[in-house]
Amino acid sequence: MQYGNPSFAGRSNLANNFTIDGALFNNAFGLQGTIGSQTNSQPINMDAFEEISVNIAPYDVRQNGFTGAAINAVTRSGTNEIQGSLNYYFRNQDLVNKYNSAGLKAPVNNFNLKGYGFTVGGPIIKNKLFFFASGEIERRVDPGTNFIASRGGNTGPNVSTVSAEKLDDLAIYLKSIGYNPGSYQDYPLDTRSDKFSIKLDYNIDSKNTLSAKYFYFRSYRDILPSNSGAPKIIDNPQISVYHSVQRVTVSTIIWIM
């Protein structure tokens, strides 16, 4: 269940129905289709899933409550053997193509993405009681804008016609009258995501199993508010005189029996 707003059969992402082991896992607030969409974060470590199924037009009348797709994820369980894994991923501007789709060279602003995850599972009582735990931490820093001011003859589709000297002079003037406009480029937007889950399975007998699951998810993301009322540089409306940041936070704790 990757973050984002997946659309199926031409329907809004709000028309999808997400379930974890058959239990509802939709965004109850209703602004986005999935938990964590507001912060571009996935609520559960992908390594915690055994399988994911997507049904668009099932004939089973028991599947209802959606006009887009029914997406169900089955979580992994522990076994009689202790097993685990560690993972790490990394990405920054050095791993990005410096040319856009039109073949033009475009300067790439600095950004950074790092993620750390783990899984561990095994028996508490062999053949009777098992556990499986999973967690992931993600840290991301993105540029506040892809546009940069013209400086030293640099060129490219994301280079403004406004010179850095003009913007610096404007910032000095605004500060002289008691207003700090902030940076016009190279200011970061942070995204953080922490998630943890644990599952216990108890074999009551050969035909019945009791499962208990706990999911913890907390994330936040810095976003730029609408600048429709912000003063603009006349030569290039792509760059605002100032920037400001607001923070969106999502927290979720779910017990499933």
Side-chain angles (χ1 to χ4, degrees), residues 38-39 187-191 220-227 243-249:
Q38 303 95 316
T39 56
Y187 53 89
L189 299 179
D190 290 336
T191 301
Y220 73 75
R221 177 170 68 105
D222 294 334
I223 62 173
L224 295 176
S226 172
N227 59 0
H243 83 272
S244 60
V245 174
Q246 62 183 358
R247 180 160 293 178
V248 175
T249 302

Side-chain angles (χ1 to χ4, degrees), residues 10-187:
R11 300 290 295 166
S12 165
N13 63 87
L14 298 177
N16 298 327
N17 186 37
F18 290 88
T19 55
I20 302 294
D21 294 327
L24 291 177
F25 206 77
N26 296 314
N27 188 344
F29 198 59
L31 294 180
Q32 301 288 340
T34 59
I35 297 174
S37 297
Q38 303 95 316
T39 56
N40 281 351
S41 302
Q42 60 189 40
I44 303 176
N45 183 4
M46 290 295 292
D47 285 339
F49 295 139
E50 182 72 28
E51 61 182 56
I52 298 176
S53 64
V54 178
N55 290 313
I56 297 178
Y59 289 95
D60 190 343
V61 295
R62 295 171 299 178
Q63 298 191 39
N64 54 51
F66 64 94
T67 56
I71 304 171
N72 180 60
V74 178
T75 54
R76 295 171 62 181
S77 298
T79 65
N80 277 328
E81 296 183 2
I82 296 179
Q83 297 178 335
S85 65
L86 296 173
N87 67 76
Y88 167 76
Y89 53 90
F90 170 78
R91 187 169 183 247
N92 64 11
Q93 69 282 349
D94 295 330
L95 302 175
V96 176
N97 191 351
K98 300 299 189 295
Y99 294 86
N100 61 18
S101 58
L104 300 176
K105 188 173 183 179
V108 178
N109 289 322
N110 294 340
F111 73 95
N112 190 283
L113 170 64
K114 293 181 180 180
Y116 313 84
F118 79 92
T119 64
V120 60
I124 299 176
I125 303 174
K126 282 196 172 184
N127 299 319
K128 200 68 175 179
L129 181 62
F130 309 91
F131 79 96
F132 185 87
S134 173
E136 186 177 54
I137 295 175
E138 185 175 275
R139 300 291 181 263
R140 180 170 184 142
V141 179
D142 291 296
T145 176
N146 290 324
F147 286 91
I148 61 176
S150 177
R151 188 193 307 268
N154 56 346
T155 59
N158 62 332
V159 177
S160 171
T161 57
V162 182
S163 67
E165 293 181 357
K166 289 183 179 179
L167 292 176
D168 291 337
D169 290 341
L170 179 58
I172 292 173
Y173 169 74
L174 291 174
K175 290 178 181 178
S176 69
I177 59 176
Y179 177 74
N180 186 353
S183 303
Y184 51 83
Q185 65 183 39
D186 295 331
Y187 53 89

